[in-house]
Amino acid sequence: MFREFLTRGLKSVRNEFNLVCTAVNLKKIWIYSNKNEINRKINGINGTFHFKT
C-alpha cells in the first residue's frame, strides 16, 4: 500500500504519483487478464475473442 512520497518537490511528487498509479493499473490489468485466461481454459474457449451466435 502506498503511504508516503519518497521525493521532494511538486514536480517529483507528481511523477512519483503517476508512476504509482500506472503500477496499480497494470496490476489490475494483469489480474483481469489472468482471470479471463483461466475462464477460457475452464470453458474450453480458444483464442482471444469468443462470439455467441
Side-chain angles (χ1 to χ4, degrees):
M1 179 183 285
F2 185 73
R3 294 182 185 257
E4 60 187 48
F5 293 101
L6 302 174
T7 58
R8 294 179 143 218
L10 187 58
K11 186 176 180 181
S12 295
V13 169
R14 282 183 183 156
N15 288 335
E16 186 177 347
F17 183 73
N18 286 337
L19 186 63
V20 169
C21 290
T22 301
V24 169
N25 287 331
L26 286 173
K27 182 179 176 184
K28 288 179 183 181
I29 291 169
W30 179 261
I31 291 170
Y32 180 76
S33 66
N34 282 337
K35 283 182 181 179
N36 282 341
E37 184 66 28
I38 291 169
N39 286 337
R40 274 190 245 119
K41 287 181 181 179
I42 290 172
N43 294 328
I45 300 170
N46 295 326
T48 307
F49 300 105
H50 180 69
F51 299 102
K52 293 183 180 180
T53 56

